[in-house]
Amino acid sequence: MKASRENYIEPVAMLYAKALFEVAVESKQVDSIQAELIELAALLSENAALNQAVASSIFSPEEREKLVVALSEQSQMSPVMTKFFKLLTAKNRVVVIDSIRDAFQLLSDQKKGIMRGTVSTVEALSSAEAAELAKAFTKKLGKQVVLESVTDKEILGGLVVNVQGRTFDGSLKTTIRRLKDTLERQSI
């Protein structure tokens, strides 16, 4: 993960994610609980009224718990995820659900030996190109690398790969800048 603010995980979210992750590992349900956590975060993100109802103190704790139970039943959540959702609601931590989801992803990736990153190019990479690039970085870094492809017209050409705080810049923009800096140093 990049060390930028956009990927910052709040310490309280990491605590909740670690607790949930430990339960998921013990019960051998890491993938299914992760999928449920992703679905729950998406549901709350897409429905502002629902999010406010479970996160707000406007409703009594009993009313919020009834809503959580109803949502859990409707979504067919596992008992582990239902208990976790109840805990988040009771402790007023629903507001950090996205950060908990990201922290859980990070813990899961670490356990599986996966490194995530992005590859920025002027035009979208084909799936074959993205797979080849991920394969090359997997070999280079010694861990499985999963890359998300993004487009960035400002790099002019080439590519920029960021993998967990490390940047590999092969962009035309950077090459031109380096050439310009070299020429300026030589003319002094």
Side-chain angles (χ1 to χ4, degrees):
M1 244 177 208
K2 293 180 276 182
S4 68
R5 178 72 186 153
E6 68 190 41
N7 292 317
Y8 172 76
I9 296 174
E10 297 180 45
V12 71
M14 183 55 84
L15 290 173
Y16 280 88
K18 281 181 180 178
L20 181 61
F21 187 74
E22 287 176 14
V23 170
V25 168
E26 287 172 11
S27 62
K28 296 179 178 29
Q29 298 179 52
V30 173
D31 292 337
S32 62
I33 288 176
Q34 183 173 3
E36 285 185 87
L37 184 57
I38 290 168
E39 287 176 26
L40 177 60
L43 176 68
L44 294 172
S45 173
E46 294 165 3
N47 191 327
L50 176 62
N51 191 348
Q52 185 175 3
V54 295
S56 173
S57 58
I58 294 172
F59 299 99
S60 72
E62 295 79 21
E63 290 171 319
R64 289 187 293 159
E65 184 171 340
K66 284 180 185 176
L67 180 58
V68 167
V69 169
L71 280 170
S72 297
E73 289 173 0
Q74 183 181 3
S75 302
Q76 299 178 340
M77 279 185 204
S78 67
V80 169
M81 201 58 205
T82 299
K83 286 179 188 175
F84 186 71
F85 190 19
K86 283 181 183 179
L87 177 68
L88 290 180
T89 303
K91 298 289 185 180
N92 295 318
R93 299 295 189 202
V94 173
V95 295
V96 293
I97 188 80
D98 291 336
S99 196
I100 293 170
R101 177 204 57 218
D102 295 345
F104 194 98
Q105 176 74 59
L106 182 64
L107 294 168
S108 178
D109 287 350
Q110 287 172 347
K111 182 169 176 49
K112 295 174 183 175
I114 294 173
M115 298 176 79
R116 292 191 183 271
T118 59
V119 55
S120 300
T121 54
V122 173
E123 295 180 7
L125 295 176
S126 70
S127 56
E129 290 169 328
E132 273 302 308
L133 195 57
K135 185 177 173 183
F137 274 90
T138 294
K139 185 175 179 181
K140 179 178 182 68
L141 299 174
K143 287 189 174 186
Q144 181 184 351
V145 174
V146 176
L147 294 173
E148 176 187 347
S149 184
V150 295
T151 57
D152 181 356
K153 302 289 184 195
E154 291 185 20
I155 66 172
L156 304 177
L159 52 89
V160 178
V161 178
N162 288 301
V163 179
Q164 289 186 331
R166 294 175 66 185
T167 301
F168 305 89
D169 193 339
S171 68
L172 185 56
K173 180 179 180 178
T174 299
T175 303
I176 291 170
R177 191 196 72 222
R178 286 182 188 146
L179 181 58
K180 179 183 173 210
D181 291 347
T182 301
L183 289 172
E184 286 175 354
R185 278 195 307 268
Q186 289 178 353
S187 66
I188 293 178

